[in-house]
Amino acid sequence: MKALVKEGPGEGLDLRDVSEPEIGPDDVLIKVHKTGICGTDIHIWNWDAWAARTVPTPLVTGHEFAGEIVALGRDVTDLHVGQRVSGEGHLIGKTSRQSRSGRFHLDPETRGIGVNEPGSFAEYLRLPAFNAVPLPDTIDDEIGAILDPLGNAVHTALSFDLIGEDVLITGAGPIGIMAAAVARHVGARHVVITDVNPLRLDLAAQVADVTPVNVATEDLKDVMSRLHMVQGFDVGLEMSGSQAALDQMVESLVMGGRIALLGIPPGKSPVDWSRIVLKALTIKGVYGREIFETWYKMIAMLENGLDVRKVITHRFKAADYRQGFEAMLSGQSGKVVLDWT
Ligand SMILES: NC(=O)c1ccc[n+]([C@@H]2O[C@H](COP(=O)([O-])OP(=O)(O)OC[C@H]3O[C@@H](n4cnc5c(N)ncnc54)[C@H](O)[C@@H]3O)[C@@H](O)[C@H]2O)c1
């Protein structure tokens, strides 16, 4: 089969023939239809320090996908051949305290497809049946292929009660934009999203009814007073990984405000803890999805009118993957989807 492989240290990925994965008794074989390119794939493409210490080579990369089951392991009874699925790319262990108590997303033994194990940038993917998530007919393959990052957005946005709250989202990357759509969908009052990239702020305004703010040219305080915010934002969703954005968020929150941190800073960064303490802020780190609870909620919201399709700005055949990675690397894109059919 064809697959996008990280052959070894260095930049790029190669599309080449590899053997089809063999499935075990508890696995399914999925014919991949569409895949999304994630920021993680860009780290692997660039072969930065994180990728070099994390990713074994050669490895089939990719972890955002939708497709169809074409074979079942002999012990799989609750899925069927022909079923359309997406799936959770975090493969959990079964022995940790967290896993055994059902908090799968906190399992320290978690391994990722396309990062530690063969991934979905391929014509076929092996996945534990446990990780497969059936797709209703209302969710097509294109949306199915971006459920992994939408799940990041949903997990972060649903970390705190947003009904009637004023929400600040820092970072209008694909995940920040989708989180803005979720915040609006669940009933936040004002949703303000910041970035320094005009194209992404325009995209945010097309995807959701939000107030985009370019913090390179506008003063967030002016926007807050225009929206008649007396004290500040109630909830912050940090989705940029930028130290400056987090500082601005802490500055702009109410006393007792709550922050969910999804963005990953590039390294250690100084934090003004006294401001956080004296504002009595709650800060929660967010990793991945809350596995099946997030998948359940996100599919339910999509079936109930949540619409994030416009976040997909580029579509390419898998053979043209280089153009897809170029679009991502330019910073002038939303989600980029590759077609493997
Ligand atoms: N915790 C997790 O499990 C998890 C999972 C996926 C992604 N992430 C992280 O979440 C973040 C969002 O993912 P993404 O794919 O949307 O990222 P992205 O890199 O596409 O978007 C980040 C955005 O932040 C903007 N930005 C930079 N400086 C800013 C500032 N000072 N103020 C406001 N915005 C600023 C950038 O211009 C960019 O548009 C990334 O940091 C990513 O690494 C974390």
Side-chain angles (χ1 to χ4, degrees):
M1 66 168 184
K2 296 271 184 234
L4 270 183
V5 181
K6 187 76 188 180
E7 294 287 1
E11 202 182 284
L13 294 172
D14 290 318
L15 186 65
R16 69 165 170 90
D17 287 309
V18 300
S19 7
E20 269 182 34
E22 286 177 17
I23 59 170
D26 296 318
D27 298 330
V28 292
L29 187 67
I30 296 167
K31 179 163 180 14
V32 175
H33 292 168
K34 300 222 161 137
T35 56
I37 303 180
C38 173
T40 302
D41 303 317
I42 298 300
H43 289 289
I44 297 173
W45 176 281
N46 289 336
W47 204 244
D48 63 13
W50 168 84
R53 68 172 180 268
T54 311
V55 179
T57 56
L59 185 80
V60 176
T61 55
H63 58 275
E64 302 178 357
F65 70 94
E68 176 189 342
I69 296 177
V70 290
L72 300 173
R74 68 165 187 270
D75 293 341
V76 179
T77 54
D78 53 345
L79 295 166
H80 60 262
V81 168
Q83 198 163 14
R84 293 178 55 252
V85 291
S86 180
E88 174 57 49
H90 284 178
L91 311 181
I92 55 158
K94 292 186 181 151
T95 56
S96 72
R97 172 184 175 180
Q98 292 92 327
S99 267
R100 291 178 71 80
S101 59
R103 293 170 297 151
F104 299 141
H105 66 297
L106 300 179
D107 177 37
E109 292 159 27
T110 299
R111 296 175 65 74
I113 64 166
V115 176
N116 316 106
E117 304 280 341
S120 60
F121 284 153
E123 288 176 298
Y124 294 94
L125 167 72
R126 178 196 79 89
L127 194 73
F130 180 74
N131 285 55
V133 178
L135 291 175
D137 292 343
T138 47
I139 297 181
D140 60 26
D141 288 339
E142 186 170 90
I143 295 297
I146 63 164
L147 292 180
D148 171 301
L150 176 57
N152 295 136
V154 167
H155 183 184
T156 315
L158 300 190
S159 288
F160 300 113
D161 177 12
L162 298 186
I163 300 171
E165 305 290 5
D166 292 337
V167 179
L168 173 64
I169 299 174
T170 46
I175 301 181
I177 292 175
M178 290 192 282
V182 174
R184 175 55 78 214
H185 185 78
V186 302
R189 182 171 65 163
H190 296 304
V191 180
V192 172
I193 187 164
T194 64
D195 206 294
V196 290
N197 177 334
L199 178 132
R200 287 191 150 179
L201 290 164
D202 286 350
L203 185 61
Q206 286 171 41
V207 174
D209 175 20
V210 294
T211 306
V213 178
N214 187 337
V215 287
T217 55
E218 290 174 80
D219 189 341
L220 186 58
K221 287 204 177 76
D222 293 343
V223 178
M224 290 161 72
S225 67
R226 206 168 73 220
L227 296 175
H228 306 295
M229 278 184 208
V230 181
Q231 284 188 40
F233 293 94
D234 304 294
V235 177
L237 310 178
E238 206 308 291
M239 305 220 154
S240 72
S242 149
Q243 172 66 42
L246 179 58
D247 278 347
Q248 188 164 45
M249 179 172 279
V250 169
E251 195 62 49
S252 312
L253 251 64
V254 296
M255 285 279 297
R258 292 147 293 162
I259 296 179
L261 288 178
L262 182 88
I264 302 173
K268 287 188 182 178
S269 46
V271 175
D272 187 349
W273 287 106
S274 65
R275 245 178 355 157
I276 290 169
V277 172
L278 296 173
K279 266 197 160 180
L281 301 182
T282 299
I283 298 191
K284 177 192 173 193
V286 178
Y287 172 58
R289 294 143 297 283
E290 244 175 18
I291 313 256
F292 301 111
E293 181 63 6
T294 302
W295 282 88
Y296 181 91
K297 291 258 194 193
M298 110 177 118
I299 288 174
M301 284 191 284
L302 287 167
E303 291 197 296
N304 185 29
L306 174 67
D307 185 359
V308 293
R309 190 177 305 277
K310 286 186 184 153
V311 83
I312 303 171
T313 54
H314 294 72
R315 298 160 174 87
F316 297 100
K317 290 273 174 209
D320 298 325
Y321 70 99
R322 287 182 191 282
Q323 291 176 51
F325 278 84
E326 274 162 25
M328 287 284 290
L329 285 159
S330 73
Q332 304 299 308
S333 77
K335 283 304 294 181
V336 177
V337 170
L338 299 179
D339 184 347
W340 292 82
T341 55

